[in-house]
Amino acid sequence: GSSIDMERVLAGAPWMVGRYAVIMQPYNEKLNASEIIFDRMEIWVRILNLPLGCMNQARGSHAMNLIGQVVNMDVDIDGKVIGAFLHAQAAIEIGKPVRRGVLLRMSKIEEPCWFKVQYEKLSYYCFACGIIGHLEVECPHLVVRDELGKLLYDVQLRAPKERRRRV
């Protein structure tokens, strides 16, 4: 019944039950149950080691849109990124593999550079195919390994939990 509580709950996405994500959408009384599609999950994403020139809202939004539709971005009043990495909430498609990184061209004459991605509160995902919702032991897809015999995805996509100090 409280709009403030509803906003807090929706902004805290993804909510977890065990290691599974619970996807929620704002209530719309005009929709039928068959019209509601849960194909996207809003999740906080980090792009690591970006050059300082990319640590602003304009260039950061371009990079984040390669991962998912940007919902919210941690920037100050001037549009500059706050912190050591680009941090934004993006709506990712859950039926597609999570992105392990983004390939960005810093200038027209330079080769594109690879920047790793981490996800906060990432639920179960398959280390073989990268799709959220199942593990590699139950993966319906052909398991692909690299030259070293490792799976394409690993636990490093999960961002470490930041421990906050009590004041």
Side-chain angles (χ1 to χ4, degrees):
S2 168
S3 62
I4 294 171
D5 284 344
M6 183 185 73
E7 288 175 23
R8 183 184 59 80
V9 167
L10 292 173
W15 291 94
M16 308 294 281
V17 175
R19 292 295 297 160
Y20 293 97
V22 176
I23 302 172
M24 293 185 238
Q25 292 184 3
Y27 176 71
N28 183 347
E29 64 185 26
K30 295 179 181 176
L31 287 178
N32 296 327
S34 61
E35 295 174 324
I36 302 170
I37 301 171
F38 293 100
D39 63 345
R40 296 184 184 270
M41 175 174 71
E42 292 180 5
I43 190 167
W44 284 93
V45 183
R46 301 174 184 181
I47 300 179
L48 308 175
N49 298 320
L50 279 174
L52 294 176
C54 295
M55 299 287 277
N56 58 57
Q57 187 160 11
R59 293 190 73 187
S61 291
H62 170 73
M64 278 293 176
N65 277 324
L66 295 173
I67 298 165
Q69 182 182 1
V70 176
V71 176
N72 190 5
M73 186 176 287
D74 272 349
V75 292
D76 63 13
I77 296 171
D78 299 327
K80 305 266 191 242
V81 171
I82 302 166
F85 45 78
L86 185 62
H87 188 231
Q89 189 176 26
I92 62 171
E93 292 184 52
I94 57 171
K96 292 185 177 179
V98 291
R99 297 282 307 251
R100 294 176 293 163
V102 291
L103 198 59
L104 298 174
R105 189 178 298 274
M106 297 297 112
S107 71
K108 291 182 180 181
I109 58 172
E110 292 181 32
E111 290 294 316
C113 298
W114 181 257
F115 298 97
K116 291 183 179 180
V117 170
Q118 289 182 333
Y119 300 85
E120 297 177 9
K121 297 198 295 185
L122 183 61
S123 64
Y124 280 124
Y125 67 99
C126 179
F127 287 176
C129 71
I131 295 177
I132 294 172
H134 67 269
L135 300 174
E136 65 274 3
V137 295
E138 51 198 29
C139 184
H141 303 95
L142 178 65
V143 176
V144 179
R145 296 182 181 268
D146 66 9
E147 313 82 47
L148 302 173
K150 294 184 179 180
L151 294 171
L152 297 178
Y153 296 84
D154 60 18
V155 74
Q156 292 182 8
L157 285 179
R158 286 194 179 103
K161 291 182 183 178
E162 292 181 5
R163 298 195 177 168
R164 297 182 181 177
R165 291 190 223 170
R166 291 185 180 185
V167 179

